[in-house]
Amino acid sequence: MKKILFALCLLGWSVLFAQQTPFELSGGKNTATYQEIIKFYSTLAGKTDLVSLKTMGLTDAYYPLHLVLVSGDGDTNPASWQKKGKTIILINNGIHPGEPDGIDASMMLVRDIIGKKIILPVNIALAIIPVYNIGGCLNRNAYTRANQNGPKEYGFRGNSQNLDLNRDFTKCDSRNAKSFAEIFHFIKPQLFIDNHVSDGADYQHTMTLISTQYEKLGGNLGKFLKETFEPAIYLSMKNKQWDLIPYVDFSSSDFDKGINMFFESPRYSSGYAALFQAISFIPETHMLKPYAQRVQSTYDLMVAIAGQAGKFGKEINSWQKQDQKAVAERKEFVLSWAIDTSHYSPIIFKGYQTSTALSAATGLDKMYFDHTKPYTRNVKFYNTYVPVKTIKAPRAYIIPHGWYNVADLLKLNGVYLTQFARDTLIAAGVYHIDDYKSFPRPYEKHHKNYAVKTSISQEQVQVRKGDYIVYINQPTNKYIVEMLEPEGDDSFFAWNFFDGILQQKEGYSDYRWEDIAAGVIQKDTALYRRLQVKKLADTAFAGNSSAILDYIYRNSPWFEKAYLRYPVYRLD
């Protein structure tokens, strides 16, 4: 009887772990639907304790995000992972559901880990978001990825608000982004992978890779990534017969001019993760390669990253803690970066010669990549960034309670805030917005501000009970400074959180202001003298009564202080 029960048990396990995905059942032609994905993981979780499927926060599609938890020793508790010192890899799939390679590859990976086809290092734990953009995944079609070769049907790039979720990690317009932040800080990963598919030039390589900018990550981790970890991943992929190269972001159509390392500002998933000292990767398979190849290369890359993380797990964990401690003590932060064109690394690039032919669509000449003329050559890879603007951080920032939406997002991202217990007057640095530009057309629901110029003055600021204070002594300092400094590339100011200060709320009628303005310059002799100097220097101004009245108004106590006065104060 025992032998029969044992045999039945083995049979059950073999059936479970031979469970094929919809991708495999279609011979590599199809990607799983949302319902098939969740059912697949639910079946695994229901038949073994080696994997756990956890329901997390809501998305814009109303459906909740799911989180698949698995590790080599069967422990599926993130709190336990952290206590054990496991190296945690967070994997995100389907941020663009029309790029579903990671969705199908992750399903196979989890099954194969449980079935021991893949031996996950015992010091490694995986947390996988099966589908991040659920709304886009449900919106299946066969046409919107015109540049892509398969699968037969796939999801749509926009989510249920038609947002590109890979531009939403700082502004958090979506429930998805808010739920992701909760997951990220719940998991506390050392490494982050966000699976994608490219959409650009044609070349021979199947897989390309965006890595965290070494200088932005900085510290021990930045050096380790550049000198040790990334080369080890490239070698591992080469051993699997994949010619891995950096993401192909050519500076022009002339490939000989080289490839620039992708700039990962915090709006992107990898740039966001780097703010918290997590090594990040964005795999980008080539859109024109057969779907089966793309999924397999994504699978192999995740295995390679997990394998190398297993070898270096102790160092990665230790360096992350050291770097987070250093960030908490840091006094200066970089707000913007630029590629250093004087430094590059040579890489071997396998491309195709371009040719021209008559277009059947336009009747004119077209450019195409000629697959009968492949080539292999050395290409310059510009992978060094230098600071453009560096800011000295204050001791703390003060945020008036009325901007609670900003405070809420800071809290969501692990920032510790306290509130003033009583009203008080405090000396603080106050930014004034001297100039800025805004996108003329909407970009991801915003008219983003950029080219921001500020000046700062020391003022007595009235702080009210309930206003927030954020001390710059936290491991989240990079995120705090990046988001609260108005000149940050993806700051809250850049994403229009403070646009209320960019509009005057009060004004005057010339006929009424005339008499008051006369009284102002009579009392304020310094303003009167400045006015006379300006009239002498600018004859057009001197002949424009409305301009003169406006000048007096803007320099008088009557002018509203809130206009262009950035409402986050620096306590230096």
Side-chain angles (χ1 to χ4, degrees):
M1 178 62 74
K2 288 183 179 180
K3 290 183 178 180
I4 294 174
L5 290 174
F6 181 70
L8 289 173
C9 182
L10 285 178
L11 178 62
W13 277 72
S14 64
V15 170
L16 172 63
F17 300 127
Q19 180 182 350
Q20 289 192 304
T21 66
F23 162 78
E24 291 167 310
L25 290 170
S26 70
K29 303 292 185 183
N30 296 337
T31 184
T33 66
Y34 173 72
Q35 291 81 4
E36 289 171 334
I37 297 162
I38 302 306
K39 181 180 179 181
F40 181 88
Y41 285 116
S42 296
T43 299
L44 291 182
K47 293 186 177 180
T48 175
D49 293 333
L50 300 178
V51 62
S52 174
L53 181 63
K54 189 175 181 65
T55 301
M56 303 299 288
L58 283 176
T59 67
D60 287 352
Y62 187 71
Y63 291 88
L65 288 179
H66 284 84
L67 193 62
V68 179
L69 304 167
V70 60
S71 68
D73 61 2
D75 183 355
T76 60
N77 184 346
S80 176
W81 294 348
Q82 293 151 18
K83 288 180 181 178
K84 291 178 179 179
K86 285 183 178 288
T87 299
I88 304 170
I89 305 174
L90 176 60
I91 300 173
N92 192 38
N93 294 309
I95 193 170
H96 298 147
E99 307 169 20
D101 305 22
I103 291 174
D104 295 307
S106 292
M107 293 168 72
M108 296 189 299
L109 179 63
V110 173
R111 179 202 61 203
D112 291 348
I113 290 171
I114 297 168
K116 304 301 181 184
K117 181 179 177 180
I118 296 293
I119 304 302
L120 189 67
V122 71
N123 62 329
I124 297 298
L126 301 181
I128 301 172
I129 299 175
V131 185
Y132 179 52
N133 182 356
I134 297 173
C137 189
L138 293 169
N139 186 11
R140 278 173 81 92
N141 71 96
Y143 301 103
T144 52
R145 293 281 293 182
N147 290 348
Q148 188 167 288
N149 180 18
K152 289 181 178 179
E153 291 186 345
Y154 38 78
F156 181 63
R157 187 180 185 90
N159 87 328
S160 296
Q161 290 192 59
N162 204 32
L163 289 170
D164 185 335
L165 292 180
N166 203 27
R167 310 293 187 272
D168 198 39
F169 285 91
T170 55
K171 59 188 178 69
C172 284
D173 285 327
S174 66
R175 286 175 173 170
N176 303 63
K178 292 183 175 71
S179 295
F180 179 89
E182 291 177 344
I183 289 172
F184 187 90
H185 295 288
F186 168 62
I187 294 297
K188 296 180 173 58
Q190 282 74 45
L191 295 105
F192 173 68
I193 302 171
D194 191 6
N195 288 310
H196 285 250
V197 180
S198 72
D199 191 3
D202 194 3
Y203 41 82
Q204 299 175 49
H205 304 273
T206 298
M207 172 64 76
T208 69
L209 185 65
I210 298 173
S211 299
T212 302
Q213 292 161 24
Y214 320 120
E215 294 81 14
K216 177 178 277 191
L217 190 60
N220 298 309
L221 284 176
K223 182 179 180 181
F224 164 73
L225 173 62
K226 183 175 185 178
E227 297 179 359
T228 305
F229 196 60
E230 191 179 62
I233 292 170
Y234 273 69
L235 179 59
S236 180
M237 287 295 281
K238 184 176 181 180
N239 292 336
K240 296 175 184 292
Q241 306 304 310
W242 298 111
D243 289 322
L244 180 63
I245 60 167
Y247 176 67
V248 181
D249 184 16
F250 287 101
S251 56
S252 74
S253 58
D254 183 357
F255 288 5
D256 289 334
K257 291 186 177 180
I259 302 174
N260 289 339
M261 189 177 195
F262 184 81
F263 178 66
E264 50 167 18
S265 62
R267 78 189 70 170
Y268 301 111
S269 62
S270 57
Y272 169 87
L275 293 179
F276 304 98
Q277 298 307 118
I279 296 175
S280 304
F281 298 103
I282 297 185
E284 293 267 6
T285 56
H286 189 269
M287 72 282 182
L288 294 179
K289 299 299 182 288
Y291 187 55
Q293 288 183 23
R294 288 165 24 209
V295 172
Q296 186 62 50
S297 67
T298 304
Y299 176 102
D300 287 341
L301 181 61
M302 290 190 291
V303 172
I305 293 173
Q308 295 303 322
K311 293 179 183 178
F312 296 103
K314 186 176 180 180
E315 292 88 343
I316 292 171
N317 288 27
S318 175
W319 287 332
Q320 185 189 55
K321 290 177 182 177
Q322 290 179 33
D323 287 354
Q324 288 174 340
K325 184 175 183 295
V327 167
E329 298 170 352
R330 189 183 300 176
K331 303 303 180 185
E332 291 190 345
F333 295 85
V334 179
L335 287 184
S336 57
W337 302 83
I339 201 80
D340 183 353
T341 56
S342 66
H343 290 84
Y344 63 87
S345 299
I347 63 170
I348 297 175
F349 176 70
K350 297 182 177 182
Y352 298 110
Q353 297 284 355
T354 58
S355 299
T356 58
L358 191 65
S359 167
T362 67
L364 303 174
D365 283 346
K366 67 174 182 179
M367 184 278 288
Y368 72 98
F369 292 92
D370 191 342
H371 283 212
T372 68
K373 298 178 180 179
Y375 67 80
T376 300
R377 67 178 66 158
N378 285 330
V379 170
K380 296 175 182 178
F381 177 47
Y382 296 97
N383 60 348
T384 300
Y385 275 82
V386 293
V388 172
K389 183 174 180 60
T390 301
I391 192 80
K392 184 178 180 181
R395 183 163 60 91
Y397 291 101
I398 297 171
I399 306 172
H401 190 270
W403 306 98
Y404 51 83
N405 56 339
V406 166
D408 289 345
L409 287 180
L410 291 171
K411 293 175 187 175
L412 184 66
N413 284 281
V415 176
Y416 180 71
L417 296 81
T418 56
Q419 291 177 274
F420 286 90
R422 58 181 180 275
D423 294 356
T424 185
L425 198 64
I426 194 166
V430 179
Y431 281 122
H432 296 266
I433 308 300
D434 296 332
D435 195 18
Y436 69 96
K437 297 178 181 178
S438 299
F439 287 2
R441 299 175 67 87
Y443 173 72
E444 297 302 316
K445 286 181 62 176
H446 294 255
H447 291 266
K448 190 172 181 287
N449 298 325
Y450 68 101
V452 180
K453 295 180 180 178
T454 64
S455 57
I456 191 168
S457 60
Q458 291 295 315
E459 301 179 18
Q460 292 293 313
V461 174
Q462 179 64 62
V463 176
R464 304 292 184 187
K465 177 182 178 180
D467 288 351
Y468 301 96
I469 185 165
V470 186
Y471 286 99
I472 306 303
N473 59 358
Q474 309 182 48
T476 53
N477 276 352
K478 285 170 68 175
Y479 173 81
I480 296 169
V481 173
E482 188 88 36
M483 300 309 298
L484 293 183
E485 285 292 329
E487 294 185 39
D489 289 336
D490 275 327
S491 67
F492 288 127
F493 180 81
W495 285 110
N496 310 116
F497 280 71
F498 296 108
D499 274 12
I501 68 165
L502 304 180
Q503 178 187 9
Q504 282 183 243
K505 298 300 185 292
E506 300 285 0
Y508 59 84
S509 298
D510 284 7
Y511 79 91
R512 169 59 179 159
W513 177 240
E514 288 272 4
D515 294 337
I516 300 173
V520 169
I521 58 175
Q522 183 178 4
K523 292 179 181 179
D524 190 341
T525 56
L527 174 59
Y528 175 78
R529 286 193 294 270
R530 294 200 305 273
L531 177 61
Q532 299 312 310
V533 170
K534 185 170 177 61
K535 284 182 177 180
L536 290 173
D538 187 343
T539 55
F541 171 79
N544 188 328
S545 61
S546 292
I548 294 171
L549 289 173
D550 185 65
Y551 180 85
I552 298 171
Y553 180 70
R554 288 176 179 275
N555 289 278
S556 77
W558 295 85
F559 187 66
E560 60 194 75
K561 292 183 179 180
Y563 179 56
L564 297 179
R565 187 175 190 255
Y566 185 60
V568 177
Y569 313 123
R570 291 172 54 99
L571 194 59
D572 292 307

